[in-house]
Amino acid sequence: LSVCSKLCYAIGGAPNQVAGSAAAFFLQIYLLDIAHITPFHASLVLFIGKASGAVTDPVAGFFISKSRWTKFGRLMPWMLACTPFTVASYFFLWYLPPFVAGRVAWYLTFYCLFQALTTLFQVPYSALTMFLSTDQKERDSATAYRMTMEVLGTLIGAALQGQIVASAHVSHHCTTNVSVNTTSHVISLHDPSFPEPLDPLSHPAMVYMIAAGVIGGVYLLGIVIFFLGVKEKDDPYALTSDRAIPFCKGLRLTMKHGPYVKLTASFLLISTAVQLEQSNFVLFCTHAADLRNHFQYLVVTILASAAVSIPFWQKILQRFGKKCAACGISWMIPFAVMLVTIPNLILAYFVAFVSGLSIAASLLLPWSMLPDVVDDFRLQNPHGKGHETIFYSSYVFFTKMSAGIGLGISAAGLEFTGYKPGICKQSDDVILTLKILTGAVPAILIVVGLFILLFYPITEESRKETKLALEVLR
């Protein structure tokens, strides 16, 4: 594979990450503090939206596995067709409708649409790795390019969104009308110079729509580069006499494949931990750590650290093996616990840097290990084809579903402890909940996920043996 084709392939995945990053870091605080919907309704939007995306994964895998080859390929037409609708649904997700009663339904509809459409892109895009090259090193290299660009996309999304919408959350709006009631310690937002956030033309609503328009433009640019620079190859693994595995049968075989089950179980816990960290980080900085003027810079620090460290993790997994590199995911645990117990500005930036290193490892490793699982399955089922999309769609299904459950429980916890939109100082119970969601819960999920990964059976030696056996079959 040429460097140019790897770069174009990698750029194709960046727009999804740009939009996904903005939503991961800012959608929850947008729903609570700008749209003024309750934490319970926000939890419904986040959970049902993620669940709808998850349910779309096996459906997308089924239809894509039935697709016929076209002059653009088998997977490429799906990605091209869904992009314009994805951009439209993303923009309306950040639009504040003039009516109040139906806002929950509005955000639920467009978040579900956005999640479903990104799935229709992500499933064929991730499966495309298997149709770029038959060489494991080339696929690992393409995956490293892809994850570097995706982390850069995540950085661009969070940085763009953070810089554009920062003025909607700055602290000087919270310096007026301090309550003298010492039992509640609540600061209200009745500054007449600050437009009511429920107004669609207010400054906070407008800056979020501007950010959505900018990210929509990035989406379109990325898919154009991807389409012009990447050529999909027909199934390079199968003989012409091989028959496609029926989807339901392939799904059953997938769920019985030991390496796949262990890999998926491990990383669905780890990805849930990262999602919880992302979705609650801005709320934690704003309400629990008195860092509301720094949250956008802390988010950029996390993602810049992740982007820079992808090549480092690629070297580590090549030299010491993929299971060994997974230990780096645990680095964020002690520092995140320190941040929630000692909310200090300098410590916050250090924690952001270390968290970025760990997030980079958690992003790169599953997508680097999944092709090895697919190869192992191919060796055990040498005369079937078309199972790649089944593996990738079901993997994304489980990780999305677990993240949706985690985010739903997270927002419901804020509702239970009394989170109130539009006030600048939350109750002690809410602050404690944010600390638990940012520190303790992700730490537990990561530890359990890494423990499961210890039983993952594919080693560097077995991976090389599989490669040789597949070459003999071919």
Side-chain angles (χ1 to χ4, degrees):
L1 292 174
S2 67
V3 172
C4 180
S5 64
K6 291 178 188 177
L7 277 174
C8 291
Y9 169 67
I11 288 171
N16 252 359
Q17 301 306 314
V18 171
S21 169
F25 280 106
F26 292 95
L27 184 57
Q28 182 164 269
I29 197 171
Y30 170 81
L31 294 174
L32 295 173
D33 287 359
I34 306 300
H36 280 192
I37 69 175
T38 66
F40 173 72
H41 288 136
S43 70
L44 286 181
V45 171
L46 294 171
F47 170 69
I48 297 175
K50 284 284 186 182
S52 70
V55 169
T56 310
D57 284 299
V59 176
F62 173 78
F63 285 108
I64 292 168
S65 67
K66 299 288 185 182
S67 300
R68 293 184 177 182
W69 182 264
T70 70
K71 64 178 181 178
F72 298 116
R74 189 164 60 92
L75 304 175
M76 189 72 76
W78 287 89
M79 294 178 271
L80 293 174
C82 70
T83 297
F85 301 101
T86 306
V87 173
S89 64
Y90 180 79
F91 178 81
F92 286 113
L93 176 62
W94 301 97
Y95 173 72
L96 193 65
F99 48 84
V100 177
R103 281 185 179 173
V104 175
W106 175 277
Y107 291 115
L108 182 59
T109 299
F110 284 105
Y111 192 47
C112 288
L113 274 174
F114 174 69
Q115 289 292 332
L117 289 165
T118 53
T119 294
L120 286 176
F121 182 93
Q122 192 65 28
V123 169
Y125 175 76
S126 54
L128 187 61
T129 310
M130 303 301 295
F131 299 96
L132 295 175
S133 173
T134 58
D135 186 85
Q136 290 179 347
K137 285 186 177 180
E138 286 295 297
R139 292 201 309 252
D140 285 347
S141 176
T143 300
Y145 273 82
R146 169 193 161 193
M147 297 317 301
T148 301
M149 289 305 300
E150 288 194 354
V151 174
L152 282 173
T154 306
L155 170 61
I156 292 168
L160 278 175
Q161 187 88 357
Q163 293 300 319
I164 294 172
V165 309
S167 58
H169 303 286
V170 292
S171 61
H172 66 78
H173 296 318
C174 297
T175 59
T176 59
N177 297 334
V178 180
S179 172
V180 295
N181 184 347
T182 56
T183 60
S184 64
H185 302 290
V186 171
I187 305 174
S188 60
L189 272 173
H190 297 297
D191 182 357
S193 66
F194 182 52
E196 173 56 48
L198 293 174
D199 179 9
L201 298 178
S202 65
H203 174 72
M206 291 300 293
V207 294
Y208 270 97
M209 282 191 285
I210 291 169
V214 172
I215 290 174
V218 172
Y219 230 114
L220 295 174
L221 178 63
I223 194 66
V224 168
I225 294 172
F226 171 66
F227 175 69
L228 295 176
V230 176
K231 184 177 180 182
E232 179 185 349
K233 299 176 183 177
D234 202 357
D235 190 344
Y237 305 94
L239 298 171
T240 54
S241 59
D242 289 347
R243 294 184 177 181
I245 299 176
F247 184 83
C248 293
K249 179 184 177 182
L251 194 59
R252 287 196 301 271
L253 291 173
T254 299
M255 294 300 104
K256 294 177 182 178
H257 193 59
Y260 178 74
V261 171
K262 293 179 177 67
L263 179 71
T264 303
S266 172
F267 277 98
L268 70 83
L269 293 173
I270 292 169
S271 64
T272 302
V274 173
Q275 284 276 344
L276 282 173
E277 194 85 30
Q278 284 183 321
S279 64
N280 289 290
F281 186 76
V282 176
L283 281 170
F284 172 79
C285 291
T286 303
H287 298 297
D290 197 25
L291 297 170
R292 67 173 69 236
N293 289 333
H294 295 271
F295 72 81
Q296 67 268 37
Y297 306 113
L298 289 168
V299 168
V300 169
T301 302
I302 291 173
L303 299 173
S305 168
V308 170
S309 62
I310 289 284
F312 163 76
W313 287 116
Q314 178 68 8
K315 294 290 184 184
I316 291 292
L317 66 87
Q318 285 178 344
R319 182 162 185 177
F320 299 104
K322 298 175 183 179
K323 286 178 69 173
C324 180
C327 298
I329 300 171
S330 64
W331 291 357
M332 74 166 70
I333 296 175
F335 298 104
V337 172
M338 285 173 62
L339 177 62
V340 299
T341 53
I342 315 169
N344 175 273
L345 180 59
I346 296 174
L347 179 62
Y349 276 99
F350 185 68
V351 169
F353 175 77
V354 176
S355 295
L357 298 178
S358 296
I359 288 172
S362 72
L363 291 173
L364 175 64
L365 283 169
W367 296 112
S368 180
M369 297 166 86
L370 197 53
D372 301 336
V373 172
V374 175
D375 277 348
D376 185 74
F377 181 85
R378 161 70 73 182
L379 191 61
Q380 296 181 24
N381 301 270
H383 296 295
K385 64 179 181 178
H387 56 277
E388 294 84 2
T389 52
I390 300 173
F391 272 96
Y392 281 88
S393 61
S394 56
Y395 174 78
V396 178
F397 166 79
F398 287 118
T399 52
K400 278 187 179 178
M401 185 61 77
S402 63
I405 293 170
L407 293 177
I409 293 172
S410 165
L414 293 176
E415 166 83 12
F416 179 75
T417 52
Y419 183 92
K420 291 181 172 55
I423 65 173
C424 299
K425 184 170 177 61
Q426 300 290 339
S427 67
D428 291 340
D429 288 341
V430 172
I431 291 172
L432 178 61
T433 302
L434 286 170
K435 289 182 176 181
I436 292 172
L437 292 172
T438 309
V441 175
I444 293 169
L445 291 174
I446 289 171
V447 168
V448 176
L450 290 176
F451 177 75
I452 294 173
L453 197 62
L454 290 174
F455 301 97
Y456 175 71
I458 298 179
T459 62
E460 291 304 298
E461 291 74 21
S462 66
R463 191 168 68 88
K464 291 174 183 176
E465 291 171 2
T466 300
K467 178 184 176 182
L468 290 173
L470 286 175
E471 286 176 356
V472 169
L473 282 176
R474 286 167 193 144

